[in-house]
Amino acid sequence: MTSTSATLSLDWHGRANALAIDGRAFIDGRRTTASGQHSRPTTSPIDGRVLAELAAGGPPDVDRAVAAARRAFPSWSRTGAERRKGVLLALAALMERHADELALLETLDSGKPILQTTTVDVPGAISTLRWYAEAADKQGGELPAVPPGATALVTREPLGVVAAIVPWNFPLEIAVWKLAPALAAGNTLVLKPAEQTSLSVLRLAELATEAGLPDGVLNIVTGTGREVGAALAHHMDVDAVAFTGSTAVSRTLLAASGQSNLKRLSLEAGGKSSNIVFADTADLATAAAKAAFGAFYNQGQVCSANSRILVQRGVHDEFAALLADAAAAFRPEDPLAGLAGNGALISSAHTDSVERWIVRGRAEGEVLFGGERREIRGSDAYLEPTLLGGLGAGHDVHREEIFGPVAVLHAFDTEDEAVRLANATDYGLAASLWTSDLSRAHRVAGELLAGTVSVNTVDALGNTTPFGGFKQSGFGRDLSLHAFDNYTAPKTTWIQFG
């Protein structure tokens, strides 16, 4: 994989111009056109270039992919865990060998800086894949207590055909969050990437076949949520859906499960996460730098972004100045230049919607930092990191998920007020708090309604810890051994011998 210094020195624009990209779907071990030969051009938010003709899949393509996954399931599910582990480790090694290619596809598709995809996104996906590969042969069953004369075995069984529907903000990483535990547990998979960012996952499927994954075990159907996503959600031969995306779409998936075969769901939905800074924080400069990262990283297109920054009044003004200084590190740059900073948002249309929040914040409060739209390489999908203030605690900007580089600063006086403000949201995905008081850290963390509470850092996660939310942020967990619960079910075998 490319180091940070090497990333700076490479001609990524030249590499991008030389890249040959295949936009066809991947079903039953091979590339294939969509039914009816339908396709659509997919463009880069970096500069508007057409990257490929992407297969525009529909229900017939979903039927083909699900049928392939169903045919492959008996063999793959009975393949020994040691063998499944070996195939996934071989795939991780191939991803490492093709890391620069995967990173470039990810950057072109999503607008992320190449410095991030080479050092964070692709290495993170490889790390997660290896972690679940190593866990595949370490899952044990149970021997529960039963009456004399009997033995009961409780085993964890794969569910069957899993549909994974993944978003555009971390296309490769979140796809691996789903496919790694699902495949390690013995399921087969039909994955629908976001229509904006399908290219890195399509290439991953080719590498999986090269690594020895049998035909039909991993299938990629590209297309819209209305066509492909809905067909998967209502399909009578799909046993489970693993989803990351909006709360609104999560509701439609719940309805589809009830209208079809009661398929199992794991839903990682929206968020509106808070970052609480108490006056006793030991290092406000570090807290401000982390707050800028938590709010503006990946152009703020992070479901767990700490976009509500609550600061105790005694240090509010000092912290606001420090935060403005730290936000400057996230100004947009050419994503292929190898520089630090932000890249493009996912599209000009999405940038329009984020910009409307800035216009409203300027009219109803004040812009403390940033707020300007920029044009780079002919694209206007670039926004400066923006800090809003002067907006009441009940304002929509505190409650609605903006999904862009926009944060709001708000003062509080007491610990109880901070907790009340932080919990005043329909979501419960993540939260952060800063304090030097250990008792306060435990006390406040216990009262925050969030799946992950980060203390003296922001948005902490890792392969060993579960990630997911409460309330309207969904249910089920990605990462850690808990992710296996999304893709397996306990089965009891009772043997009576007495």
Side-chain angles (χ1 to χ4, degrees), residues 149-210:
T151 295
L153 312 174
V154 179
T155 53
R156 300 292 306 188
E157 301 295 323
L159 298 178
V161 176
V162 172
I165 303 174
V166 299
W168 47 256
N169 58 333
F170 291 93
L172 186 64
E173 274 201 282
I174 293 180
V176 172
W177 285 11
K178 313 294 188 189
L179 69 84
L183 298 181
N187 299 279
T188 53
L189 201 73
V190 179
L191 189 143
K192 190 204 95 63
E195 56 266 34
Q196 302 93 331
T197 53
S198 301
L199 301 179
S200 60
V201 176
L202 286 169
R203 185 69 179 106
L204 175 68
E206 289 183 321
L207 295 177
T209 294
E210 187 178 340

Side-chain angles (χ1 to χ4, degrees), residues 293-466:
F293 175 87
F296 304 130
Y297 181 78
N298 198 41
Q299 299 72 250
Q301 300 168 141
V302 182
C303 53
S304 54
N306 290 183
S307 58
R308 304 164 63 220
I309 304 172
L310 310 174
V311 184
Q312 201 156 25
R313 198 172 304 277
V315 295
H316 177 275
D317 292 349
E318 179 186 359
F319 185 84
L322 291 167
L323 180 57
D325 288 343
F330 295 90
R331 286 194 170 102
E333 302 283 355
D334 175 358
L336 289 171
L339 301 172
N342 275 348
L345 276 72
I346 190 62
S347 67
S348 290
H350 181 63
T351 309
D352 290 342
S353 70
V354 175
E355 189 178 31
R356 284 193 286 271
W357 283 100
I358 299 172
V359 170
R360 185 176 172 187
R362 182 178 282 114
E364 299 171 11
E366 59 180 321
V367 174
L368 303 175
F369 180 86
E372 299 302 317
R373 192 166 183 169
R374 291 185 57 195
E375 184 173 306
I376 297 175
R377 300 193 68 82
S379 168
D380 65 351
Y382 297 86
L383 273 177
E384 288 188 347
T386 303
L387 185 62
L388 303 178
L391 299 167
H395 194 279
D396 289 344
V397 79
H398 287 278
R399 302 177 184 279
E400 299 291 331
E401 187 175 30
I402 297 173
F403 223 65
V406 179
V408 58
L409 196 64
H410 189 80
F412 69 87
D413 292 300
T414 67
E415 181 181 304
D416 288 345
E417 182 188 7
V419 171
R420 177 177 56 79
L421 290 170
N423 287 337
T425 169
D426 292 334
Y427 302 108
L429 187 56
S432 298
L433 70 101
W434 293 80
T435 180
S436 295
D437 185 331
L438 182 60
S439 296
R440 168 176 278 163
H442 282 287
R443 188 168 59 245
V444 174
E447 294 175 358
L448 291 173
L449 301 176
T452 299
V453 178
S454 304
V455 179
N456 293 335
T457 187
V458 296
D459 205 17
L461 60 79
N463 291 330
T464 60
T465 54

